[in-house]
Amino acid sequence: MFLDGFIRMCSDGFSQGWHERNGGNLSYRMTEEDVDAVKSTFTSSPRHCSMAFSAPELRGAYFTITGSGKYMRNVPLAPEKNIGIIRIDESGTGYDILWGLVDGAKPTSELPTHLMNHTARMKATGGACRVIYHAHPANTTALTYVLPPEAKAYSRVLWQSETECAVVFPEGVGVVDWMVPGSIDIGRETARLIKDYRAVIWTFHGIFGSGSDFDETFGLVHTIEKAAEIYLKARGAGIIRTITDDELRALGDAFGVEINKAFLE
Ligand code: 13P
Ligand code: ZN
């Protein structure tokens, strides 16, 4: 059941230490079967909310989404208070809250980035992408203090920090330099990058990851965070050697993945 997977991801992220206070948020674009499985629990008098942006490609789509100001650690204890199900209305500029988000709660303040990312990844993957996840992992965020805000610099450092990385995200990662969170502008900029990179790092803030299911999305963010941790440990100790570009090319050949040539030297 999708709701179990959603709730498990919230609690796994908290266990990793990626969700201090209300940090981070999660959204899942539901399938027709998902909707059928839970529609008997939908309210007959939904709360309608309008958005300051439009998401025309998502008209009629249903999302399970975390609430603004809600703590990931509380999601398993009281799902209906901390998460909800929304349906984007026919105008594409608002939504109805059909289940959960009780007591006047609203979806995450990062709704613009979530919905714009869903639109971008839905197009990039022919509809396969369903999960958008925002977390505040410490090592990934620390990395943003020591690297220039360029996709090539981050992608190379991460690929070089753990052999798995170039296979897991051969396209590299995108980077958004500091912007006001929760804004429509940061949503647009993140979505522009996430069509090419499944993960986008927000400078001095955290990361957005995407994927077709919860495992894939959590695994992607986990892999990036682990590589960032290894890099920072190695950098602290003093790096004397690393994975070479020829070794990265050999990985691509062995695993049949196209490693982004623009980032190889
Ligand atoms: P929300 O509580 O509104 O989801 O915000 C948390 C966050 O991480 C903002 O970037
Ligand atoms: Zn955040």
Side-chain angles (χ1 to χ4, degrees):
M1 163 69 156
F2 74 95
L3 214 45
D4 298 326
F6 188 100
I7 293 168
R8 179 174 169 227
M9 183 144 159
C10 294
S11 90
D12 283 353
F14 174 73
S15 304
Q16 290 294 328
W18 302 343
H19 299 298
E20 77 292 340
R21 203 172 181 277
N22 64 310
N25 24 75
L26 175 64
S27 64
Y28 168 69
R29 187 170 56 84
M30 295 161 64
T31 65
E32 268 176 47
E33 295 74 49
D34 296 329
V35 175
D36 284 345
V38 294
K39 68 180 179 206
S40 62
T41 66
F42 290 171
T43 174
S44 53
S45 48
R47 234 175 336 130
H48 184 268
C49 303
S50 50
M51 308 189 294
F53 61 99
S54 89
E57 291 93 338
L58 300 177
R59 278 186 293 233
Y62 291 76
F63 293 91
T64 304
I65 191 160
T66 52
S68 186
K70 303 300 181 185
Y71 294 24
M72 290 290 195
R73 68 188 282 260
N74 290 337
V75 170
L77 300 179
E80 69 288 356
K81 281 193 179 163
N82 296 289
I83 66 176
I85 294 177
I86 64 170
R87 178 184 178 275
I88 307 301
D89 67 20
E90 294 311 321
S91 73
T93 59
Y95 55 85
D96 288 309
I97 300 175
L98 300 169
W99 173 86
L101 294 173
V102 297
D103 302 330
K106 289 268 215 129
T108 171
S109 60
E110 302 295 359
L111 187 66
T113 302
H114 277 265
L115 294 187
M116 290 177 198
N117 282 351
H118 274 293
T119 301
R121 287 307 299 169
M122 206 170 76
K123 282 187 201 158
T125 62
C129 177
R130 294 197 170 271
V131 181
I132 298 291
Y133 178 45
H134 171 53
H136 293 177
N139 294 289
T140 304
T141 308
L143 201 61
T144 70
Y145 291 80
V146 302
L147 293 179
E150 293 152 16
K152 180 175 177 180
Y154 278 75
S155 302
R156 289 182 61 77
V157 154
L158 293 167
W159 287 344
Q160 288 165 346
S161 297
E162 203 181 26
T163 295
E164 284 276 293
C165 287
V167 179
V168 176
F169 49 96
E171 76 277 25
V173 294
V175 189
V176 172
D177 202 1
W178 193 89
M179 292 178 79
V180 175
S183 62
I184 292 173
D185 285 349
I186 201 170
R188 289 212 177 98
E189 183 58 12
T190 310
R192 187 179 70 78
L193 295 172
I194 214 161
K195 71 176 164 38
D196 296 324
Y197 309 103
R198 282 166 297 150
V200 174
I201 293 173
W202 277 5
T203 303
F204 316 143
H205 186 141
I207 186 166
F208 265 88
S210 63
S212 56
D213 59 30
F214 299 117
D215 280 347
E216 199 182 278
T217 311
F218 191 83
L220 174 64
V221 170
H222 204 182
T223 305
I224 292 169
E225 170 61 3
K226 179 92 178 278
E229 180 180 359
I230 293 167
Y231 174 75
L232 293 171
K233 282 186 168 148
R235 189 174 156 134
I239 294 175
I240 60 163
R241 59 194 294 264
T242 194
I243 300 173
T244 66
D245 284 47
D246 281 343
E247 287 165 343
L248 292 172
R249 286 186 191 93
L251 269 176
D253 292 344
F255 286 87
V257 295
E258 184 76 31
I259 298 183
N260 192 343
K261 286 191 185 62
F263 296 163
L264 290 174
E265 283 167 0

